[in-house]
Amino acid sequence: MSRLPTWQRNLFILWFGVFMTGIGFSEVMPFLSLYVDTLGDFTKSQLTFYSGLTFSITFLMTAIISPFWGKLADSRGRKLMLIRASLGMAIVFFLMGAVQNVWQLIFLRAMQGLFGGFISNSNAMIATQTPKEQSGYALGTLVTGVTGGQLLGPFIGGVLASLVSYRLAFIITGIIFLLVFLLVATLVKEEFTPVPKGESLSRKEVFAQLSYPKLTIGLFTTTFIIQIVNQSISPIISLFVRELNNGAGSTTLWAGLVAAMPGIATMLAAPRFGQLGDRIGTHRIMLMGFSLAFIFMLPTGFVTAVWQLAILRFMIGISDATMLPAVQTLLTKTTPTQVTSRIFAYNQSFQSLGSVAGPIMGTFVAMFFDYSGIFIASALLIVVNACLFFYRTKSLKGDKNLNL
């Protein structure tokens, strides 16, 4: 690995880091409510409330704190932020395995969000170090780690919890984050010129640095809606699988496999679509992604068997593999190096807000239109997202610097 260019070596290490971060944020989904249930004698409504609060507070805190960490990264360096985030998450996961009541768990889940920033700073580091002609490939590869971890996390967490225990699952994850911390601290290399004290830009000044601020805001919105669509099924996936199976078979196992399908597809396809985008233009890749997402999301609302659900969820992962790297690539092409961390941090905030809004939307729609309504509503959101994206980029298609 020492013979590789610095950006490639960093890419391999940070891929593992963002993969574990994605797992850390999502692995608790299959057993979080069950773990909460062991921490007190709750009524059904209390258990629902505490489980929802415990799940969502991490993403809410990440959305709030990400811009601050991005600002600090632009002035102090991205590697320092990666070290802080990985060590902080290692400590938090160790402590979550030892909590004695639900409020301690809620507090630590909030701290997990506050220690965030690993993913956004990994994107920023790779974006600023990678040659422009390789940016689609590099960011596409990094997206496979993020999305793969987030979508494989529930399956891995369910397996860990069933093989060992809820508490030991947290501790094992903490050990892996400690390994990420050691790898980043010893192997990741960064050439960084710090911003002099007192010269850090305000939010208004950051956006003044952008050549295409409206496009950047549009990309934030695209990220937000993609994440809503991805997470909308999270609260009901086990219930939907149980309904399709008529109560037969292992609901937990099948739900884990269905949850894993998009992650597997994204991990396989994202680097290839990133390379394709470098050749044919990001705009065409986004068009392909929106089209695939709508084509496969809509019929998901009409499936009658678990295997049909699994196949369509796999295809949704293919659409993610086109859109997520394309958003990151466009942010890279339109953001000056000196504010890259800030912009990627803002994008992380929108992604985290999508992770909060998605389950809320899914639960609300299911209450009125059953489970199938979630997928139909998601398909309509994809259409809205496509229209917003193409409206934002319509006037920029002739700009050769963007390779739209």
Side-chain angles (χ1 to χ4, degrees), residues 272-325:
R272 292 170 176 80
F273 281 119
Q275 288 177 313
L276 183 61
D278 288 334
R279 293 200 303 270
I280 70 172
T282 310
H283 194 267
R284 292 187 178 91
I285 290 295
M286 289 296 292
L287 175 62
M288 183 188 304
F290 287 126
S291 300
L292 289 175
F294 179 80
I295 288 169
F296 295 115
M297 183 63 74
L298 189 62
T300 306
F302 302 96
V303 297
T304 57
V306 175
W307 66 267
Q308 297 170 356
L309 178 63
I311 290 174
L312 288 171
R313 293 298 292 168
F314 182 89
M315 299 310 296
I316 289 296
I318 297 292
S319 71
D320 285 341
T322 63
M323 292 186 289
L324 292 171

Side-chain angles (χ1 to χ4, degrees), residues 67-102:
F68 170 77
W69 292 134
K71 182 177 181 179
L72 197 59
D74 281 332
S75 62
R76 299 293 179 87
R78 286 120 199 174
K79 180 176 179 178
L80 180 62
M81 294 299 101
L82 295 170
I83 290 173
R84 170 200 54 75
S86 54
L87 181 59
M89 287 189 291
I91 294 171
V92 165
F93 269 84
F94 282 130
L95 293 175
M96 280 196 286
V99 297
Q100 298 302 310
N101 61 63
V102 69

Side-chain angles (χ1 to χ4, degrees), residues 73-285:
D74 281 332
S75 62
R76 299 293 179 87
R78 286 120 199 174
K79 180 176 179 178
L80 180 62
M81 294 299 101
L82 295 170
I83 290 173
R84 170 200 54 75
S86 54
L87 181 59
M89 287 189 291
I91 294 171
V92 165
F93 269 84
F94 282 130
L95 293 175
M96 280 196 286
V99 297
Q100 298 302 310
N101 61 63
V102 69
W103 290 109
Q104 291 176 357
L105 181 61
I106 290 171
F107 172 76
L108 289 170
R109 286 281 294 173
M111 293 302 296
Q112 181 186 346
L114 290 174
F115 276 117
F118 192 95
I119 293 173
S120 60
N121 279 291
S122 295
N123 281 322
M125 177 175 280
I126 295 303
T128 54
Q129 290 185 337
T130 304
K132 292 295 183 183
E133 64 274 10
Q134 296 286 340
S135 60
Y137 161 75
L139 291 167
T141 299
L142 207 60
V143 164
T144 67
V146 178
T147 308
Q150 289 174 341
L151 297 173
L152 286 174
F155 178 68
I156 294 172
V159 170
L160 273 179
S162 62
L163 291 178
V164 285
S165 67
Y166 305 142
R167 294 184 182 274
L168 195 53
F170 282 115
I171 293 171
I172 290 172
T173 307
I175 293 172
I176 297 175
F177 273 123
L178 189 59
L179 175 60
V180 172
F181 160 73
L182 294 172
L183 288 173
V184 171
T186 57
L187 297 179
V188 168
K189 305 298 180 184
E190 180 185 26
E191 295 181 4
F192 179 76
T193 303
V195 176
K197 189 175 182 180
E199 294 186 15
S200 182
L201 301 176
S202 66
R203 184 184 297 111
K204 183 177 180 180
E205 289 170 332
V206 167
F207 279 90
Q209 297 280 315
L210 303 176
S211 301
Y212 311 96
K214 291 184 179 179
L215 172 61
T216 301
I217 294 172
L219 292 172
F220 292 163
T221 305
T222 299
T223 297
F224 175 67
I225 298 178
I226 289 173
Q227 199 65 10
I228 288 178
V229 170
N230 282 340
Q231 296 296 328
S232 61
I233 191 179
S234 298
I236 58 90
I237 189 167
S238 297
L239 302 176
F240 191 34
V241 167
R242 184 174 65 185
E243 181 180 280
L244 291 174
N245 268 342
N246 296 316
S250 173
T251 297
T252 304
L253 176 61
W254 279 109
L257 287 173
V258 170
M261 286 296 103
I264 293 171
T266 301
M267 291 175 68
L268 293 173
R272 292 170 176 80
F273 281 119
Q275 288 177 313
L276 183 61
D278 288 334
R279 293 200 303 270
I280 70 172
T282 310
H283 194 267
R284 292 187 178 91
I285 290 295

Side-chain angles (χ1 to χ4, degrees), residues 323-343:
M323 292 186 289
L324 292 171
V327 169
Q328 305 285 5
T329 301
L330 279 176
L331 285 175
T332 300
K333 291 178 177 179
T334 57
T335 304
T337 302
Q338 64 269 24
V339 295
T340 299
S341 291
R342 297 279 288 279
I343 293 300

